Amino acid sequence: RGASFLPVTDPKGGVVTRLIRSGVSLFNAHTNADVACEGVATALADLIGLRDTVPLEPCGVDAEGHEIGLGRVGTVEPTTLGAFADHVASVLPAGPTGLLVGGDEAMAVSRVAVLGGAGDSALDAARAADVDVYLTADLRHHPASEHLEGGAPALLCGSHWATESPWLPVLARRIREAATYADVEVRVEISTIVTEPWTSYRVTQGELA
């Protein structure tokens, strides 16, 4: 959510104040990175091997004529939900919460939708796209449960950071290329900080009395 007031005493305001006092500029890419042709969604789709991708929720074209929009839809070699989940778990960046699976793991999978970061707002779009499985993050209990009760697609729920961070190397490459083209000297470093609020998890083993 947008911030209209940043007191120096709260975490966000403290960061902004420190940056200003240090003469440091800050640019945050959010929705513009989500919808970009080579943005967050494309990086996630490429990471898991989607082919022939198109936006899940198109919103127009960019200056170069590429279709842009939230999420991506594409195809994979026919497999099962269980095998596909194993593949996704093997390539997503490691984090403290892993990958949750909702659906019959024996079901066939060949058409997939992805949306990095919080994606329960696009559950209806994923169903309308007639995909077999939808990979996103931050799925809440009730929207996910009600979606699965209504049928396909199956759900894969990773963590917010893990589904968005694959874009960072792509962004770094593009910044370096742009700097070279503009004859500007720049050093680009990719942060390896895992920005999840959770630091670890435990397997719960209690039983109902």
Side-chain angles (χ1 to χ4, degrees):
R1 295 179 177 86
S4 57
F5 181 60
L6 293 170
V8 67
T9 53
D10 74 16
K12 288 182 182 178
V15 168
V16 171
T17 300
R18 184 178 178 189
L19 288 168
I20 292 171
R21 289 174 175 170
S22 302
V24 177
S25 298
L26 174 67
F27 175 80
N28 286 326
H30 192 203
T31 306
N32 54 343
D34 292 334
V35 303
C37 175
E38 293 187 38
V40 172
T42 300
L44 179 59
D46 289 345
L47 179 72
I48 66 172
L50 292 196
R51 301 188 302 261
D52 305 319
T53 59
V54 296
L56 172 62
E57 294 186 317
C59 67
V61 296
D62 62 19
E64 298 174 347
H66 300 122
E67 190 175 22
I68 60 173
L70 287 174
R72 291 294 183 272
V73 176
T75 60
V76 295
E77 287 294 329
T79 184
T80 64
L81 176 61
F84 184 67
D86 289 341
H87 165 66
V88 172
S90 74
V91 296
L92 275 182
T97 55
L99 182 71
L100 301 176
V101 182
D104 178 2
E105 296 200 16
M107 66 173 280
V109 168
S110 61
R111 185 168 164 83
V112 178
V114 302
L115 194 158
D120 57 15
S121 64
L123 284 168
D124 289 342
R127 176 165 288 154
D130 194 29
V131 298
D132 303 308
V133 59
Y134 174 42
L135 166 64
T136 187
D138 301 338
L139 290 176
R140 294 172 294 155
H141 175 90
H142 291 293
S145 296
E146 291 166 7
H147 168 85
L148 290 171
E149 288 171 2
L155 300 176
L156 296 181
C157 183
S159 74
H160 196 108
W161 172 83
T163 56
E164 288 190 335
S165 59
W167 180 60
L168 296 179
V170 178
L171 176 60
R173 172 181 55 79
R174 297 194 68 184
I175 291 174
R176 292 186 183 108
E177 289 173 352
T180 299
Y181 180 79
D183 196 24
V184 173
E185 185 176 346
V186 65
R187 185 181 71 187
V188 181
E189 295 184 14
I190 301 174
S191 172
T192 58
I193 297 172
V194 177
T195 57
E196 301 292 355
W198 321 116
T199 55
S200 66
Y201 77 99
R202 302 291 185 274
V203 177
T204 52
Q205 304 178 69
E207 297 181 2
L208 295 178

